[in-house]
Amino acid sequence: MRVVSWNVNGIRSAMKKDFKASIEVMDPDVLCLQETKAQDDQVLEALTGLNGYHIYTNSAVKKGYSGTAILTRMKPLSVRKDIDREEHGREGRVITLEFEDYFLLNVYTPNSGSELKRLGYRQRWDAHFLSYLKALEKKPLIVCGDLNVAHKAIDLARPRENYNKSAGYTQVEIDGMDNIARARFIDTFRYKKPDEIKYSWWSFRAGARKRNVGWRIDYVLVSPGMAGRIKKVDILNEVMGSDHCPVLLDL
């Protein structure tokens, strides 16, 4: 089974680029999209022509903001949206699909924002999200998405300059990721490639992608029981069309 996760920074914008051709080349069985920036009907319309998938969407109340979608060749037993907390139910950030022997979850974690104005909210989100993951542990989990945190210094090009100054690399956010790791969820890329430097997001400013001044903030996590099933992991940084690139897991 091939799982691909990609923050597309607007699905309608992505479809005007090489999105469809990129998906055909990657050939995922499951495709998790974040930051669709469209309402449910607009996402479905944009994805017209991607055949062979069941499509599930979760859009924000605010138009043109946030949003997630999952395309899957296997029809799930059930579909859940959000994380059972009213505080977090307006931004379309989580979709959970239940299959016979596992859950698959797609998440677009809130960004702490400029001047870290949402850091307090982000801290609550991290705690509530982890509680939600733990509540699903009756089956193994695959967790895909933009977690909006570089976990270790190896995961961003300029750790010293950004530490406790930039959203995505504050100690509060690192602690949130540490808690996920302590709950034994496996960062599949780092599990298989502990020393490889590769990024999944680059600022649009100052030619950051061309210079590879990036961050690794997009992940596929799995429960411990799935570690032995990991066949291949990769960050597909040659795939264009967004300020993020896709991340891949073969099981």
Side-chain angles (χ1 to χ4, degrees):
M1 182 172 75
R2 170 161 290 179
V3 179
V4 170
S5 179
W6 194 3
N7 179 320
V8 290
N9 193 17
I11 186 60
R12 290 171 291 181
S13 173
M15 289 297 287
K16 294 175 183 177
K17 301 171 187 175
D18 294 323
F19 177 84
K20 186 178 178 183
S22 296
I23 299 307
E24 289 173 351
V25 170
M26 291 185 286
D27 194 27
D29 298 296
V30 177
L31 175 63
C32 293
L33 304 177
Q34 304 90 41
E35 208 170 358
T36 52
K37 292 185 175 180
Q39 300 307 110
D40 291 343
D41 60 323
Q42 295 171 325
V43 175
L44 294 173
E45 182 180 358
L47 293 171
T48 299
L50 274 177
N51 300 319
Y53 292 101
H54 305 279
I55 303 175
Y56 303 94
T57 64
N58 190 11
S59 298
V61 173
K62 179 180 177 181
K63 292 183 178 180
Y65 178 73
S66 187
T68 48
I70 300 179
L71 292 77
T72 172
R73 288 186 171 133
M74 302 80 69
K75 188 173 182 179
L77 302 177
S78 67
V79 181
R80 308 181 193 185
K81 297 183 180 182
D82 306 318
I83 60 171
D84 303 327
R85 298 270 184 161
E86 187 175 351
E87 179 184 13
H88 308 305
R90 297 177 60 83
E91 296 186 351
R93 292 188 177 276
V94 173
I95 305 174
T96 306
L97 304 186
E98 180 182 8
F99 295 94
E100 186 174 350
D101 60 349
Y102 62 94
F103 286 103
L104 184 136
L105 185 150
N106 181 25
V107 58
Y108 175 39
T109 299
N111 189 296
S112 296
S114 60
E115 300 179 8
L116 304 176
K117 290 178 180 177
R118 280 194 111 189
L119 187 58
Y121 175 73
R122 168 61 183 270
Q123 189 172 31
R124 295 194 303 277
W125 166 277
D126 284 346
H128 296 160
F129 181 65
L130 180 55
S131 294
Y132 179 72
L133 295 185
K134 289 179 177 178
L136 293 175
E137 285 192 297
K138 59 186 178 183
K139 293 183 181 181
L141 271 75
I142 303 170
V143 180
C144 305
D146 175 358
L147 298 185
N148 258 318
V149 59
H151 189 199
K152 306 286 186 183
I154 192 176
D155 295 320
L156 72 165
R158 295 176 175 170
R160 182 175 57 83
E161 294 89 338
N162 286 287
Y163 179 66
N164 275 340
K165 298 175 185 175
S166 302
Y169 198 57
T170 66
Q171 193 58 52
V172 166
E173 294 158 316
I174 293 166
D175 288 346
M177 194 65 187
D178 282 341
N179 289 335
I180 288 176
R182 275 193 287 268
R184 302 181 66 218
F185 290 98
I186 295 168
D187 173 355
T188 56
F189 181 81
R190 198 52 74 207
Y191 178 75
K192 296 294 282 187
K193 301 183 178 185
D195 303 314
E196 184 167 335
I197 295 174
K198 215 168 186 183
Y199 306 125
S200 65
W201 173 79
W202 304 261
S203 170
F204 283 126
R205 299 174 183 172
R209 188 162 188 169
K210 186 176 181 179
R211 296 184 295 118
N212 200 29
V213 180
W215 300 53
R216 188 178 75 93
I217 59 175
D218 300 274
Y219 298 79
V220 183
L221 313 175
V222 297
S223 298
M226 302 192 86
R229 296 174 59 186
I230 299 171
K231 182 178 178 182
K232 178 183 178 181
V233 298
D234 206 354
I235 295 174
L236 305 177
N237 53 14
E238 74 283 0
V239 178
M240 309 300 284
S242 171
D243 52 344
H244 295 248
C245 73
V247 296
L248 175 148
L249 169 68
D250 283 350
L251 293 169

